[in-house]
Amino acid sequence: MKPLAVSREACADYERASRLEWLETNGAGGFASGTVAGANTRRYHGLLVASLRPPVERHVLLSRLEEVVEPDLQLATNAYPDAIHPQGYRNLIEFRIDPFPTWVFESAGGARIEKSLFLVQGEDTVVVLYRASRPCRLAIAPFLAFRDYHSLVHANSALDRSVREEGNAGALTLRMRPYAGLPELAVHASPDGRFTADGVWYFAHQYEVERDRGLDFAEDLWKMGTLTLEVRPGQPAFLVASLSGRTIDAAKVARLESAERARRAPTSADPFTARLTQAADQYVVRRKDGSPTVIAGYPWFTDWGRDTMIALPGLLLSRGRFDEARDVIRSFLTHRDRGLLPNRFPDRGEAPEYNTVDATLWLFQAAFAYVSATGDDGFAQEILPALKEILRFHFEGTRHGIRVDPRDRLLAASEAGAQLTWMDAKIGDHVVTPRHGKPVEINALWYNALRITALLAQATGDEVASASSDREADAVEQSFARAFWNAARGCLYDVAGGPRGDDAAIRPNQLFAISLPFPLLDPAQRRSVVRVVEKELLTPYGLRTLARGEPEYVAHFRGGPWERDTAYHQGTVWPWLLAPYVRAYLAAFGRTAESLAHCRRLLEPLERHLTSDVCLGQISEVFDAEEPFRPGGCPAQAWSVAELLRVLTVDLVEPAARANRIRRGDGARPEERR
């Protein structure tokens, strides 16, 4: 597989190079990220963003490095008010991800120096390597932030400026603890290095993306000092910043690099699948207790219940990582409360938040996908009591007005000031898309949860629970089309029985009535829904969240927090929704060779996006609803990656191969097994 590469012309274009990002993760919630140009443009950019209570409590420790190949070849780039200084991007002739971020600089005399970096898995350690075509002397200044990754730091007298220097045969080591209460940072460098204690504040670093987002965008950073290293051909110099306490020397660095290259070896002959697989690795992390979970997106999301359950089949099951998938489901079930899973684990250790009606229902989908892929009836028997308990709370009523309506057996959810579905934007007390009543996808998920419980109960010999769940599912099936079918528009209401009556706005949520393992509607209705969604919502990068022409439609996702949040689900395109569209299309029009080829072509714009736009090797969270469909939100989003990977490896498998998978019980829809 060819490296993801940025041309010399693009590298020399600061506007372009500063908008292209890279991402490294350590499997424990920590990460490193920045731009091809080298300038940090987000408050979240940094070379060591450590998770102090994995996977949360992230802090930007090492913000950047400023390097000069003596006498005057600049490698670094930084933005200050009305100035870009230094301008190392002018000397940058290539950037590539091969398999981790690598920059190649060239001097006027033709000498080349290569810089690459990666994180060590499972610990807060970044390794930076320098290779040169000719002997040279390199001066490196580490710039420290030491602050929560959501905030910014400014020059202050509380910072402890002292640096302890240690020398041994393997490395020069510098230790600094700028603030009490935060960990000590160790900086290891090649053993022939020299350190000059010339620490000083640098003021007003400018983060342009934060300015665009309507947020504070200026920060002061502390220059720790200057390291001087000798770089010789065939003998890479290194700088390692770490909280781990590990010992470092050149041999150890070489072993770490070799292990990381081996870990990232491609696992598929299809480049798109291989790149998505590598991207997927970055979202699966371990909590402090060792249990696996899923980061919803980088750089600012942590682990969310809804996102985890939606992403789990693509991130884990599609790649055969069954043990981790099982452990994620098991772990989230331990956090259930009154029949609900947490929507979010807060970053600073507060109690989990349960403001969600769908995260718990998506767990049924994840559990069913796991059991279908593995045939693990033992796990089905293990979790069945929890699933039955969840159903009981939904029948009796739980938080936020979530309760089955005894008249039609549909699931309702309504609480003033609460955002309960995935369309969850809220600004202060203002809920942008409240969707109070009976949301369409919630009832599709509820119907599926009942059918799934019936099947799992039957498989484990609980005939009473199986029959009861099937009866309830039959009642939902009988009520669903009556409640949701909008004959005037040939599709489904987005919400039935809301405070203002049925909501006829055309949104993508109706697709889940067709795309889930147990679909609803008759064949003609399925086809009509897909055609309406295709006409009103489908774009090259996913589905609009609201049709053009609706009163609340917003075409662009940009501006400050209010502007962005009021556009978030009011037209803005979400790429993850392309996956349920594909499943619904195949359910409506059949799994013919023509249909499969059509659906595969729908993915091509996102394949180009992954290789050449925003965060290289990743898929963005959202796009504008109108051309040119500018990407926005998180530059790397778990369910964007996971759902595309699942489509490629499960949904678009050719019919003959799929038949083999069905015979193995691997990835088949329930109706295909009858």
Side-chain angles (χ1 to χ4, degrees):
M1 186 172 64
K2 293 181 179 179
L4 289 179
V6 178
S7 69
R8 185 171 193 157
E9 293 73 23
C11 289
D13 178 352
Y14 179 77
E15 180 64 26
R16 172 72 172 146
S18 65
R19 294 284 178 175
L20 289 175
E21 300 179 51
W22 53 268
L23 172 70
E24 285 285 297
T25 63
N26 70 353
F31 63 89
S33 65
T35 68
V36 168
N40 289 346
T41 60
R42 301 182 187 268
R43 67 182 63 198
Y44 302 98
H45 284 159
L47 302 186
L48 184 59
V49 183
S51 179
L52 304 186
R53 187 170 62 85
V56 295
E57 291 188 15
R58 293 161 169 163
H59 283 66
V60 180
L61 303 182
L62 176 60
S63 177
R64 66 185 185 91
L65 299 173
E66 193 158 297
E67 308 109 323
V68 180
V69 178
E70 296 181 349
D72 60 3
L73 178 65
Q74 299 282 352
L75 308 189
T77 300
N78 193 67
Y80 294 103
D82 303 317
I84 306 298
H85 179 81
Q87 297 185 358
Y89 74 94
R90 293 183 178 277
N91 304 313
L92 183 61
I93 64 170
E94 182 185 12
F95 174 88
R96 64 182 187 271
I97 296 179
D98 184 25
F100 30 76
T102 300
W103 295 258
V104 181
F105 301 88
E106 187 175 71
S107 70
R112 293 192 175 188
I113 186 160
E114 181 179 285
K115 169 186 173 180
S116 58
L117 70 85
F118 61 90
L119 297 186
V120 177
Q121 291 300 293
E123 64 182 63
D124 291 308
T125 299
V126 60
V127 178
V128 187
L129 293 167
Y130 299 91
R131 293 177 168 89
S133 62
R134 302 175 190 171
C136 64
R137 180 169 296 161
L138 178 65
I140 307 173
F143 282 74
L144 308 183
F146 266 76
R147 43 84 174 171
D148 180 276
Y149 75 150
H150 292 306
S151 63
L152 295 172
V153 71
H154 299 285
N156 62 84
S157 59
L159 181 135
D160 184 344
R161 305 180 177 203
S162 59
V163 179
R164 300 199 326 272
E165 183 174 345
E166 302 171 2
N168 58 59
L172 169 66
T173 298
L174 309 169
R175 300 187 184 276
M176 186 175 185
R177 189 192 299 269
Y179 302 104
L182 290 177
E184 178 183 79
L185 179 70
V187 176
H188 310 279
S190 301
D192 59 2
R194 300 192 312 276
F195 178 66
T196 303
D198 55 355
V200 66
W201 284 103
Y202 275 55
F203 302 103
H205 296 73
Q206 306 286 287
Y207 301 143
E208 190 60 36
V209 174
E210 303 303 314
R211 187 205 302 263
D212 292 346
R213 297 174 69 227
L215 302 173
D216 294 341
F217 59 88
E219 177 167 52
D220 305 332
L221 296 174
W222 175 254
K223 175 187 172 184
M224 182 179 177
T226 303
L227 278 159
T228 304
L229 308 180
E230 302 294 331
V231 190
R232 302 174 183 86
Q235 297 179 21
F238 65 83
L239 182 146
V240 177
S242 179
L243 302 183
S244 73
R246 66 159 62 244
T247 57
I248 290 292
D249 58 25
K252 181 65 174 178
V253 169
R255 288 195 294 273
L256 290 171
E257 181 186 15
S258 178
E260 193 58 21
R261 289 187 181 278
R263 189 182 72 85
R264 303 193 198 196
T267 57
S268 172
D270 173 56
F272 192 22
T273 302
R275 295 193 199 284
L276 286 171
T277 299
Q278 291 179 341
D281 276 335
Q282 299 193 295
Y283 299 99
V284 183
V285 304
R286 297 274 170 178
R287 293 196 177 105
K288 189 174 183 179
D289 64 5
S291 62
T293 189
V294 171
I295 294 296
Y298 292 97
W300 54 74
F301 286 126
T302 55
D303 49 344
W304 290 59
R306 174 189 300 118
D307 298 62
T308 296
M309 295 305 146
I310 291 173
L312 183 147
L315 293 184
L316 295 172
L317 296 178
S318 72
R319 299 189 293 143
R321 295 172 65 165
F322 301 133
D323 290 349
E324 289 166 291
R326 180 197 62 227
D327 290 346
V328 168
I329 296 167
R330 183 181 283 153
S331 174
F332 269 84
L333 279 172
T334 65
H335 292 281
R336 72 187 185 277
D337 184 80
R338 295 179 61 191
L340 297 180
L341 293 192
N343 185 39
R344 185 172 76 95
F345 293 95
D347 201 42
R348 294 179 176 87
E350 303 94 334
E353 299 175 359
Y354 289 86
N355 59 320
T356 172
V357 63
D358 58 341
T360 313
L361 302 177
W362 279 111
L363 177 135
F364 284 77
Q365 292 293 313
F368 184 63
Y370 168 80
V371 174
S372 298
T374 63
D376 187 352
D377 290 341
F379 185 65
Q381 189 159 15
E382 175 190 331
I383 65 172
L384 185 61
L387 301 186
K388 290 161 62 177
E389 175 196 279
I390 289 168
L391 296 186
R392 176 174 61 81
F393 271 105
H394 282 67
F395 286 124
E396 296 174 357
T398 183
R399 301 168 186 254
H400 310 301
I402 299 170
R403 183 169 189 163
V404 168
D405 185 335
R407 296 168 297 180
D408 57 15
R409 314 311 288 173
L410 298 175
L411 191 62
S414 178
E415 183 177 77
Q419 72 283 36
L420 301 175
T421 73
W422 82 275
M423 293 186 164
D424 59 356
K426 183 178 179 180
I427 313 160
D429 294 330
H430 173 59
V431 179
V432 180
T433 48
R435 305 185 71 227
H436 294 156
K438 299 169 184 175
V440 64
E441 84 281 10
I442 300 306
N443 280 280
L445 285 163
W446 174 240
Y447 172 72
N448 272 258
L450 292 166
R451 291 294 188 207
I452 288 166
T453 303
L455 273 183
L456 297 184
Q458 184 181 48
T460 56
D462 190 340
E463 297 294 342
V464 173
S466 179
S468 173
S469 292
D470 264 336
R471 283 195 301 272
E472 288 292 338
D474 289 343
V476 172
E477 187 173 17
Q478 290 171 14
S479 298
F480 186 87
R482 267 199 317 271
F484 287 101
W485 185 250
N486 180 351
R489 305 189 82 167
C491 61
L492 298 175
Y493 290 112
D494 189 59
V495 180
R500 299 180 182 176
D502 299 334
D503 183 357
I506 295 177
R507 295 187 183 272
N509 306 304
Q510 59 189 300
L511 284 175
F512 293 103
I514 308 169
S515 67
L516 294 175
F518 298 90
L520 292 151
L521 305 179
D522 64 40
Q525 289 173 326
R526 294 182 192 182
R527 291 191 292 271
S528 181
V529 165
V530 172
R531 289 306 188 201
V532 168
V533 170
E534 178 183 55
K535 178 183 177 183
E536 302 290 345
L537 305 178
L538 183 64
T539 78
Y541 297 96
L543 301 187
R544 296 184 181 93
T545 41
L546 186 64
R548 290 176 290 188
E550 301 286 357
E552 296 180 312
Y553 176 76
V554 182
H556 300 287
F557 181 80
R558 62 183 60 165
W562 176 273
E563 290 80 9
R564 283 182 284 112
D565 284 346
T566 53
Y568 207 31
H569 304 105
Q570 303 290 62
T572 297
V573 170
W574 291 70
W576 82 273
L577 292 171
L578 195 58
Y581 175 81
V582 166
R583 294 180 197 117
Y585 187 96
L586 296 176
F589 296 102
R591 297 185 54 81
T592 65
E594 182 181 7
S595 292
L596 292 168
H598 168 72
C599 291
R600 178 61 181 86
R601 286 193 297 272
L602 294 176
L603 309 184
E604 291 173 359
L606 285 169
E607 183 172 8
R608 291 191 292 272
H609 167 76
L610 176 143
T611 58
S612 61
D613 203 3
V614 191
C615 190
L616 297 171
Q618 287 287 350
I619 305 291
S620 294
E621 180 186 14
V622 297
F623 293 78
D624 279 350
E626 302 289 347
E627 292 186 76
F629 304 106
R630 176 177 175 267
C634 261
Q637 192 77 3
W639 59 17
S640 299
V641 169
E643 282 289 74
L644 288 177
L645 186 56
R646 188 181 180 192
V647 165
L648 281 172
T649 58
V650 177
D651 298 304
L652 296 184
V653 174
E654 292 295 334
R658 187 172 174 82
N660 291 331
R661 293 169 69 87
I662 293 170
R663 283 195 290 273
R664 296 199 310 269
D666 181 8
R669 292 171 63 90
E671 67 268 24
E672 292 173 321
R673 294 187 186 146
R674 298 191 185 113

